[in-house]
Structures are given as structure tokens and as C-alpha cells.
Amino acid sequence: MVLEQKIGFDKVREKIAAKCATEYAQRKVASEQMSRDGDEIMFRLRLTDEMRLICLFEDSFPAGGYLDTKSFLLPLQTENTSIDLTSLRLLRTSLDTLRRILAFFRECKDDLYPTLRLISAGVMWPAELSRRIEGILDRNGEVRDTASPELGEIRRSLRAKEGQVSKRINAILGSAKGEGLVDADAEVVVRDGRVLIPVAAGSKKKLPGIVYDESASGKTAFIEPFEIVELGNQIRELQFDEQREIARILFEFSEFLRPYLPGLIDASDYIGEIDFIHAKALVALDMIAGMPVLSQDGELNLRRARHPLLEASLRREKKEIVPLTLSLSREKHILLISGPNAGGKSVCLKTVGLLQYMFQWGMLIPTSEVSEMMIFDSIFIDIGDDQSLENDLSTYSSHLKNMREILLHASSSSLVLIDEFGSGTEPAAGGAIAEAVLARLDEMGAYGVITTHYTNLKLYADKSSGVQNGAMLFDGAAIKPLFKLEQGMPGNSFAFELARKMGLPADIVKDAEERAGSDFVNIERNLRKIARNRRVLDEKLTRIKATDKTLENLTDRYQKELEEVKALKKKMLDEARAEAADILNQANKQVERTIREIREAQAERDKTRTARAALTRAKEDLQQEKPSQNDADIERKMQQIVARKERERARKEKRGERSPVKPGMTDEEPGNMSQLQVGDKVRLKDNGMVGEVVQISAKYVSVSIGSIISKMAPGKIERISNQQYKEKSRNTFRPVIHYDSESVSRRKLEFKPTIDIRGERLNDALDIVMHFIDDATMVGVGQVKILHGKGNGILREEIRKYLKTVPAVKSFRDEAIQQGGAGITVVEMDI
């Protein structure tokens, strides 16, 4: 196909075909066509992308064993036909591969590789058939002695006869050596299955037997003794019996096999399909390719795209390719690229064409996975020299023929690729025709990438709403191309600069500039000026965006702090109201006690009622009080509450006030125990250790010393100040960290730096990651990897939110694209 050859897809087909092991897969590579159906394209891409992940991460999936079996299975559909031994061996290998593939998809998690699981759902592995084959063949592919009782008996007789031949020939050889008929160092020779004795030509008649062969010199005759001839005949008869029995076993197996043939033929096609997908995945890995996004809004966005064939060529030369970033939309649907010769214009065009064709063919493409690809009904290309002497077509005539086909058949769903638009004829006429064609393509809404040197086309693109200029950047100082595309501005040919660099005489270059005219030179200079200004503006825009991002972060931070202040204010007001209610309750209890005392003293009933009513009103007023809406009132109340708490705390510290004395304790009890309160800091008189009183009973005091609580008599302790306690504790209690070296060593040996959480629910996945990071921190691993897959990115985002909160995590990033890209998070630990 001409299109495939011009964009280089024929080379991609060759690469994939070279990875195929079956004829089915190779035929599929040759026959598969570009699709225009979005569902079909995404189905093909998902199959390849899932297989790519399997090749990267799954060791249990079979990488080989893909064999064609239809060639010998189809003839077996005819009655009275039999499978041969070689085909049976191939069938066993193929069935084992089928078993391993189906077992892999059966045992993996439900949400992994859904598309491959879908095409595997209807495929069955014939277990009984495989069992029968294993009963016939041993591990080396030979028929077992136990394949049938008759075969076992034949082979036992055969081994016995061969043993007799060995014993008898050695006896005859020894006797011949004793008689001097053969040399003392002569050995038995086997030729064509016959056991022979080498005898000197002059003595050959002295040894009874058949002369089977002679040496090249004629000095040695190889004789088969008559006794051995008879035994050999018996052995050959047994060998014929063996072959007839093996043929009978294979025929009997073929009869058993025949009902399984439809399923086996389907299984053969399935293995061929897996081989085809596997080959595509291997090529995708070589290209470091990934699955792009299908555009839903008519935009083609290539991000860091690379021409796979050019990249492979540069890699062999130890060079790096410059990635291409390019965008087309419904509004700006044609990109007109200009710039110096050998600056990369044609490479950009071919990259777009090749990657678009690969995408619609169902092949992963070497771009960033955030790239967006469209689906085109047709792709047209005009590139290279299609002149034909047979058809009397010149170069320009071939270009015009291509233009005619494009204008007749292109539409808004077409991608048009034209290289060196308008070249090949007189510049003024060629430029005018090219501009007219460009205007028609613009009018019909076709998408396109077009390269040119013509200034009138650049000016048209500058005025058009559907066409945009693009420039291949050039280092004017070093006079060399940068191979980088800049959209939105026209390119400069740099013809005069290149002429000077190539050593053309300065006066010739100057004369050429004068002949070109001031208008042309000024246009070129203005283009360079525009390029410089554009770069300056882009740099300023980048700085402005960075500043906006900083301001946005500051705003978010201040907003968060403001919310925290409001929450703190509300909390303090709630605490103030709760404290006021507590004070009121305490007062209420006091009043109740007073009333009870008054009642007991037979006070006037009216006064009691009046006091109770006043207390109730005060309580209701406090409960109904709402926080002031005035910020000044709120701040004042908050300050009052804080000041009151400070005064209360200072007063308690000054008086050493703690829990009230338990009833029944008096000053006369031992050790002046009534003076001790729960919470007091004390010192043991006998050893000077310090602690805190946590409980007081009638006879004992419970003291917390470190993590130990001891009961002791009050006379054994004495109260100390808080400052004394702190100083003594600082010197006495030191945190002791115990390391279980054996446990840590065992964990280091068993710890795996990679974890797979694909298929886990979000909460379960986070729990697994938390334990994984804890273990990594304990064993001191510097780097770990979390395989979470890509999907819609929610699991990846939540895991990274958690990692940001872990102090032991220094940083994290995506894995290299050839190792899994955004589907793996690499975590650097701060050890």
C-alpha cells in the first residue's frame, strides 16, 4: 500500500511479524487494516496495552510455546485418518501453552486485564485429552512403554534380543582376537544398524559371516557373523512390530481425538491471536509506546511524540530524538510548517501520519499517555517524488495528480499530509496554485499538516481562522537546526545564513540578498524578530503563570488558616458557655443546700419560693444567651475566658491545689497523710526516686514511678515541688529503645520493595500501603515501588495524598514510561 510505504508503516508491520511465532499471527499482521470504528480501535489498543503490562510485570504468563496446530488438525476431520508422532508432540506443547494462558487469567484478580479475559472466556482446555497424551508420550516426546501392554511386551523382547547380540558379538570378537584374526585393540562397529567386526582383508574368509563393507584402502573388511545375522533379523522383526503397535496406538488416539477437533481448532486460533497481540506488545515495549486518549471534541494533541523508526536509527548511533508536541482543533485544523531545509519539517509530517495510522490500526504509539488522538475516515499524503517515465508524469505533474485526488475525496473527517507544498514548478505559479488548494482545504474543514517555503502561504495562514503557522526552530548563532516545532508563528528559511556557513563567497551572498529585494529580506528579518519577541513573551507568560500559582497557593493557605481561626473561636465560645453552665450548676447545688438548711430551720416559705424563682430565671437567661454578632464582643469574651483560666491555673500552682481530701482523713493519721492529694509530686525517702500520687486509701498511697505504680506507706514519701520533680525526672527517666535485631533482620530478608495493589478497594489499598510503608521504614529501605495501575487515576491520587503525610517519605514520582509510567509510584524513603 502506497500510504503505508510513504509514512513507514510497512516497516512497523515487518517488526511485528518478526515477533510472531505462528503463521496465524503473521497472516493477521499482513491482513489487519486501519479501522474507522472507535470501539474497535479502543478494543485493539486495550488488548495490546494489557499484554504490554503482562510482559512488564507478570512472570507466570507464557512467553513462548505458541504453535500452529490447524495444519494437522484439519485433515483429522476425515474418517480413518491418523495423527503422526511429530504432530502429537506439537499438540501436547500447544495444549500445555493453552492451559498456562487460561490458568493465568483464571487466577489473576477480577479487575486485571479485563479485555484479554473477555476474549479468553469461551476457550476451554481439554483436560482428558491432555491426560491421554501424557499417557502416550514421555517427557522427551517418545512413546512410553506403558502406552499399551502389547508395546511393553515387544520392547522387553527387543531389549532382550539386543542384550543377546551384545554378549554374543563380544564373545566372537574375543575369540577372533585370540586366533589373531583381528587386531588386539579392535572394537565392534555399528553401521546402518548392523553390528560388525573389523577384520584384516587377508583373514576375512576365516571368520564365518557376511562381508558388509570395506575400508577405503581395502585393507579392512567389516563382517557380520552368521550368528549375529540371525539375531539381527529377529531384532528387525521386533522393530517392525513396535512401529505397527505405535501406529495402532496413534490411530486409536486419533479416533478419541476426533470429537475434540472443533474446540481444538478454535483453541489454535485463540493461541494465534494471543501470539499476534503478544508480538504487538513486544514491539510497543521496544518503542516505549503507550495508549493515548481518544479525543471526544475534535482535537488532535500529540505530546512528546517520537517517530519510532527514526528513534531506533538514532539510538543505534547513540543519539537522542527531539520529541514533537503538536495540536490541531476544529478551529485551527491545518498546521502550515515552514523553516530551513533539513530542519525537521518532513519528520514532523511523517510522525503525525505514522502515529495516526498506528493508532487506527490498533497499535500503541510512542507518545505521552495524555496525548489525544482523533479518528479519521481517510488519510491522504503527498510526499516525495512520484514521477513516472512509463506514465509520462513529471514530479510536479504527480503532485497535481495527488492534489486532484485530495480535493475530490477529502472531507472534514480527513487528514491531509503534504510535503513541500507548491514546489516543483515556477515559484509564482506554484505558490498561487498551492494557496488556492490550501484555501479549499480550509473551507472544507479538513485536518492537515503541510510543509512549505512559500511566503504567500505563510501570509494566508496568518489571516485565516482555520490555518495556523508553525516554525521549525533554528539556532541563528550556531547556524544549526533545533528540530523543535513552535506553533503560532511562521518559520524562516535562513537561506542566506546557511549559504555563509557553507562557505559561499560573501560577495555572492550579498549580491543574492540584493537580487532578492528589500521586501523579501525585510520579511525574513521581521520573521526572526517575531520569533525572538514570541520567545520573550512566552518566558514572561511562564513567569506570570508561576506567580499566579504561588498567589493561588498563598490564598488557599490563608483561607485554610482563616477557617481554623473561626473554628477555634467557635470552640472557645462553646467552652465558655459550657464553663458558665457548670458554674451555674454548682451555684444551683449551693442554693439547694441553703434552701434545705432554711427549710430545716423553718424559715418563711415565701422567701424560699422567691429565692428559687430568682435562681431559675438566672439559669434560663444564661441558657438562652446567644453569642454576640459583634466581633469586638466575641474577642472581649474570649480574652476574659483565657484570662480567667490563666488566673485559675496560676492560683492552683501557687497553692499546690489538687483533688479534695477524701472523707475520714485527719491530721493525726500516719505521715501527715491528710496533707497529700491525688496529683502531688513526691520523692521516696529511701532511694530518692520521684513519682506522682495517683490514689490514696486509708493505709496506703499509690505512687506512679515511670511506668510502675507502687503501693507504700505515707511515711516513706515526702512531697516535692513541680520544678524539683521535673529536674529529677529529666535525670532519672531516659527513654530506652529496644531493638529486636533478629526480627528486623528477618523482615529485611523477607521484605519485597514492590507491592501490587491493583484490584483492591480504595480503603483496603490504603491500608496495605500504610503497612507497606511502615515495614519499609522499619527495615531501612531507600526506595520502594507501588504498582496501582492507571485506570481513572483515583487510586493513584489517594495514595499520593497519603504519602504526602508520611514524614519518612522524602519524595515520590512516576516510574519511567518503559517500566510502567503513571501506573507505578516510585517512593524515595528518608532513611
Side-chain angles (χ1 to χ4, degrees), residues 474-518:
F474 192 84
D475 187 344
I479 314 298
K480 67 176 183 179
L482 299 178
F483 305 108
K484 183 177 180 181
L485 174 66
E486 181 79 14
Q487 285 188 242
M489 56 179 290
N492 192 323
S493 66
F494 290 93
F496 300 123
E497 288 79 356
L498 287 171
R500 291 189 181 93
K501 182 183 179 183
M502 298 306 296
L504 208 63
D507 58 333
I508 296 294
V509 176
K510 184 176 180 180
D511 185 33
E513 289 178 334
E514 292 174 353
R515 291 176 182 274
S518 60

Side-chain angles (χ1 to χ4, degrees), residues 720-769:
I720 60 176
S721 67
N722 289 337
Q723 185 64 29
Q724 290 175 314
Y725 174 79
K726 291 179 180 178
E727 293 177 356
K728 187 66 176 176
S729 298
R730 194 177 298 116
N731 297 327
T732 303
F733 303 117
R734 299 288 184 186
V736 180
I737 302 174
H738 297 279
Y739 293 98
D740 186 353
S741 59
E742 182 180 353
S743 174
V744 173
S745 297
R746 186 174 66 255
R747 283 197 177 192
K748 284 186 177 180
L749 290 174
E750 297 176 354
F751 182 77
K752 297 180 178 178
T754 301
I755 188 173
D756 184 355
I757 57 171
R758 293 174 295 173
E760 299 288 348
R761 296 181 181 273
L762 178 58
N763 291 335
D764 296 338
L766 287 174
D767 187 60
I768 293 171
V769 171

Side-chain angles (χ1 to χ4, degrees), residues 14 37 127 262 332 355 416 442 545-546 573 582 598 620 674 780:
E14 291 174 4
D37 182 272
K332 294 289 186 181
L355 298 194
V416 178
D442 184 13
K545 288 182 178 179
L573 287 174
D582 184 61
I598 293 173
E620 290 175 352
S674 61

Side-chain angles (χ1 to χ4, degrees), residues 442-469:
D442 184 13
E443 180 183 343
M444 70 175 59
Y447 287 74
V449 178
I450 300 173
T451 69
T452 188
H453 287 286
Y454 284 177
T455 302
N456 66 310
L457 298 183
K458 303 177 192 177
L459 295 175
Y460 175 88
D462 188 55
K463 294 181 294 182
S464 170
S465 60
V467 183
Q468 61 176 323
N469 275 302

Side-chain angles (χ1 to χ4, degrees), residues 207-243:
L207 182 65
I210 299 173
V211 177
Y212 185 77
D213 197 3
E214 287 186 348
S215 64
S217 62
K219 295 181 179 179
T220 303
F222 296 94
I223 298 176
E224 182 180 18
F226 288 127
E227 297 180 51
I228 304 302
V229 170
E230 180 58 28
L231 289 173
N233 291 336
Q234 295 175 12
I235 289 174
R236 277 185 286 279
E237 288 179 5
L238 289 172
Q239 289 174 341
F240 292 145
D241 292 341
E242 179 187 26
Q243 294 303 315

Side-chain angles (χ1 to χ4, degrees), residues 612-792:
R612 184 185 297 276
L615 180 63
T616 301
R617 285 195 300 274
K619 181 177 181 180
E620 290 175 352
D621 290 342
L622 182 60
Q623 290 175 339
Q624 295 175 358
E625 182 181 354
K626 295 182 179 179
S628 174
Q629 300 300 315
N630 189 297
D631 287 345
D633 293 342
I634 293 174
E635 292 296 334
R636 178 169 48 78
K637 288 186 178 183
M638 290 170 60
Q639 293 174 3
Q640 290 174 354
I641 293 170
V642 172
R644 183 164 63 249
K645 288 187 175 181
E646 277 295 320
R647 288 195 300 273
E648 185 69 18
R649 184 182 60 78
R651 186 167 60 253
K652 287 184 178 181
E653 288 185 356
K654 182 177 180 182
R655 299 186 312 189
E657 188 174 307
R658 294 293 184 272
S659 301
V661 180
K662 289 184 176 290
M665 296 179 64
T666 65
D667 291 345
E668 286 76 26
E669 287 179 279
N672 200 15
M673 189 174 174
S674 61
Q675 297 178 3
L676 290 175
Q677 305 291 332
V678 173
D680 280 345
K681 306 299 188 290
V682 296
R683 177 170 51 219
L684 275 62
K685 294 180 179 179
D686 55 352
N687 57 18
M689 296 184 69
V690 296
E692 181 179 351
V693 177
V694 295
Q695 187 177 359
I696 300 175
S697 62
K699 296 183 180 180
Y700 299 101
V701 177
S702 296
V703 180
S704 173
I705 304 173
S707 60
I708 301 173
I709 298 177
S710 300
K711 286 185 177 181
M712 57 189 67
K716 293 185 177 181
I717 59 177
E718 57 183 0
R719 187 161 53 197
I720 60 176
S721 67
N722 289 337
Q723 185 64 29
Q724 290 175 314
Y725 174 79
K726 291 179 180 178
E727 293 177 356
K728 187 66 176 176
S729 298
R730 194 177 298 116
N731 297 327
T732 303
F733 303 117
R734 299 288 184 186
V736 180
I737 302 174
H738 297 279
Y739 293 98
D740 186 353
S741 59
E742 182 180 353
S743 174
V744 173
S745 297
R746 186 174 66 255
R747 283 197 177 192
K748 284 186 177 180
L749 290 174
E750 297 176 354
F751 182 77
K752 297 180 178 178
T754 301
I755 188 173
D756 184 355
I757 57 171
R758 293 174 295 173
E760 299 288 348
R761 296 181 181 273
L762 178 58
N763 291 335
D764 296 338
L766 287 174
D767 187 60
I768 293 171
V769 171
M770 290 170 63
H771 287 84
F772 178 63
I773 295 297
D774 289 344
D775 287 348
T777 304
M778 176 170 290
V779 302
V781 175
Q783 184 190 87
V784 295
K785 296 182 180 180
I786 303 172
L787 172 57
H788 44 64
K790 296 174 184 175
N792 54 21

Side-chain angles (χ1 to χ4, degrees), residues 82-235:
S82 176
I83 192 171
D84 58 66
L85 189 57
T86 300
S87 299
L88 183 61
R89 292 166 182 153
L90 293 177
L91 180 61
R92 180 172 73 166
T93 302
S94 180
L95 288 178
D96 183 63
T97 302
L98 177 66
R99 176 189 62 80
R100 292 168 60 197
I101 293 173
L102 296 179
F104 172 84
F105 289 121
R106 184 175 61 252
E107 295 168 3
C108 69
K109 297 177 182 177
D110 291 341
D111 58 345
L112 290 180
Y113 319 121
T115 317
L116 286 170
R117 288 163 64 93
L118 179 64
I119 67 171
S120 305
V123 182
M124 302 298 293
W125 172 66
E128 179 60 24
L129 186 64
S130 295
R131 189 189 66 79
R132 288 287 292 267
I133 294 175
E134 292 302 321
I136 296 174
L137 300 180
D138 61 16
R139 65 174 59 188
N140 297 318
E142 300 297 333
V143 179
R144 297 177 185 271
D145 293 352
T146 56
S148 73
E150 293 80 2
L151 182 62
E153 181 61 32
I154 291 170
R155 286 185 173 174
R156 281 191 292 273
S157 299
L158 188 59
R159 285 191 289 271
K161 292 296 181 182
E162 288 172 346
Q164 291 179 23
V165 169
S166 178
K167 291 180 181 178
R168 190 60 195 146
I169 195 70
N170 286 325
I172 295 173
L173 178 63
S175 176
K177 286 180 179 180
E179 296 175 4
L181 300 179
V182 299
D183 296 337
D185 56 352
E187 298 289 342
V188 172
V189 177
V190 178
R191 292 191 177 181
D192 301 328
R194 297 179 180 275
V195 184
L196 311 173
I197 295 177
V199 181
S203 304
K204 61 183 180 181
K205 294 183 179 181
K206 299 179 181 179
L207 182 65
I210 299 173
V211 177
Y212 185 77
D213 197 3
E214 287 186 348
S215 64
S217 62
K219 295 181 179 179
T220 303
F222 296 94
I223 298 176
E224 182 180 18
F226 288 127
E227 297 180 51
I228 304 302
V229 170
E230 180 58 28
L231 289 173
N233 291 336
Q234 295 175 12
I235 289 174

